[in-house]
Amino acid sequence: MKRDGHIHSPYCPHGTSDSFKQYIEKAIAHNFTDITFTEHAPLPISFVDPTPEQDSGMNPEFLMAYFEDLQHLQKQYVHDIRIHIGLEVDYIQGFEQETRKFLDTYGHFLDDSILSVHFLQWQNTFECIDFSAENFMKFSKKVGSIEQVYDLYYDTVLQSIKADLGPYKPRRIGHPSLIHKFQLAHKVKIDDSVRIREVLDFMKQEGYELDLNSAGLSKTYCQEPYPPFTFIDYSKSIGLPFVFGSDAHSVTDLHQHYNAIFPR
Ligand code: ZN
Ligand code: FE
């Protein structure tokens, strides 16, 4: 089995319009046997997206079309590749009820999905922590320090693992060191190894799997996968199941750095 379990789609409002077929044909050409499209689920209706274009989640009006397109493609490519229907669902502190309701309604369409933390709450405001280095710096000033933002991030990831989101809660935790995305911009070296191991241990204990996400290697200010290589080894040592994910938002980025993660 050769698998890429984290792929975006033409339904991503901040991605590209590259078509499903282009992604699928490339995956087949690279001998992948299993791929999951995990578009950003629509955000809770009462949540105000803090990003400037408010384009973090997909438009809820297109959700059924997204599922239907994928169901059709599953059948069309049944002899070539297994296409799994998924979503990347946001865990947002305080919005658990709404998120659960969403999953209760649409979860039966999902074969495979990811739960990710992109938004951190500080007092009564939210920030998208992977949007830009500039926003990240501003937010860390508000919170107090970069280290405090890291702690807030890991606390939120732990909460996402604990959260009761019902029977359709995703089983895979997305890129659980995303907070490293701008580490080479702020240049503050933080030893968060205890926190990362805490998160990985808790995932293992609670029966989750890891989104072993290569996208960070392509980010100018990150230059490492999520989680970093040392913690990929750690995950293996504790028997935490993982699924490679390129987190591609374009066909070019599909399967990015697969060979760096799994050298032959
Ligand atoms: Zn995205
Ligand atoms: Fe994500």
Side-chain angles (χ1 to χ4, degrees):
M1 187 157 83
K2 192 176 176 187
R3 191 170 171 197
D4 189 337
H6 191 153
I7 307 173
H8 291 274
S9 78
Y11 286 91
C12 181
H14 57 259
T16 61
S17 54
D18 291 354
S19 69
F20 279 125
K21 286 197 173 182
Q22 289 174 287
Y23 285 100
I24 296 165
E25 302 280 345
K26 178 168 173 178
I28 295 169
H30 287 77
N31 300 315
F32 279 79
T33 58
D34 292 77
I35 53 173
T36 305
F37 287 98
T38 50
E39 196 44 76
H40 295 284
L43 295 173
I45 291 161
S46 65
F47 179 70
V48 180
D49 184 347
T51 64
E53 306 287 330
Q54 303 201 305
D55 58 356
S56 301
M58 76 181 281
N59 183 337
E61 281 173 38
F62 300 147
L63 187 60
M64 285 314 298
Y66 170 75
F67 291 140
E68 282 159 17
D69 284 3
L70 284 171
Q71 286 168 340
H72 180 75
L73 290 159
Q74 273 180 330
K75 287 192 197 110
Q76 193 180 339
Y77 286 97
V78 69
H79 300 297
D80 309 298
I81 192 166
R82 279 182 294 272
I83 300 170
H84 304 273
I85 302 178
L87 285 171
E88 181 177 15
V89 178
D90 270 280
Y91 172 76
I92 309 174
Q93 206 178 4
F95 290 80
E96 293 84 352
Q97 297 265 34
E98 252 184 274
T99 306
R100 178 179 177 153
K101 234 170 126 185
F102 171 83
L103 286 166
D104 285 346
T105 309
Y106 297 103
H108 66 281
F109 289 104
L110 302 173
D111 305 317
D112 180 32
S113 55
I114 297 176
L115 187 67
S116 296
V117 171
H118 304 100
F119 301 104
L120 293 185
Q121 185 178 27
W122 178 247
Q123 291 165 348
N124 287 324
T125 60
F126 283 92
E127 186 58 75
C128 177
I129 45 102
D130 65 327
F131 178 74
S132 72
E134 201 189 336
N135 280 30
F136 180 90
M137 304 298 269
K138 268 193 215 151
F139 186 62
S140 61
K141 287 211 175 77
K142 251 199 252 177
V143 175
S145 67
I146 305 241
E147 186 158 17
Q148 280 167 291
V149 176
Y150 273 49
D151 276 325
L152 185 60
Y153 172 76
Y154 294 114
D155 290 345
T156 310
V157 175
L158 290 170
Q159 280 174 20
S160 76
I161 299 167
K162 272 183 219 148
D164 176 10
L165 300 179
Y168 294 108
K169 183 179 178 182
R171 303 310 301 166
R172 188 148 74 256
I173 302 298
H175 43 59
S177 64
L178 183 65
I179 203 70
H180 288 190
K181 185 169 176 180
F182 302 114
Q183 59 182 352
L184 304 176
H186 59 68
K187 298 193 183 91
V188 179
K189 186 75 201 117
I190 287 166
D191 182 5
D192 55 359
S193 50
V194 171
R195 302 288 343 245
I196 299 182
R197 279 198 297 270
E198 183 187 358
V199 165
L200 297 171
D201 287 340
F202 195 50
M203 282 165 55
K204 165 75 181 168
Q205 184 194 309
E206 299 299 308
Y208 287 86
E209 53 188 25
L210 165 68
D211 168 44
L212 204 174
N213 190 304
S214 63
L217 280 165
S218 296
K219 305 295 178 200
T220 317
Y221 296 123
C222 188
Q223 303 291 321
E224 62 180 25
Y226 312 119
F229 284 107
T230 335
F231 299 97
I232 296 176
D233 294 340
Y234 180 73
S235 302
K236 288 178 186 164
S237 78
I238 61 167
L240 176 65
F242 57 84
V243 178
F244 171 82
S246 63
D247 206 345
H249 288 68
S250 67
V251 170
T252 309
D253 287 347
L254 188 65
H255 320 317
Q256 55 188 333
H257 310 295
Y258 185 88
N259 295 331
I261 306 270
F262 303 113
R264 271 168 271 200

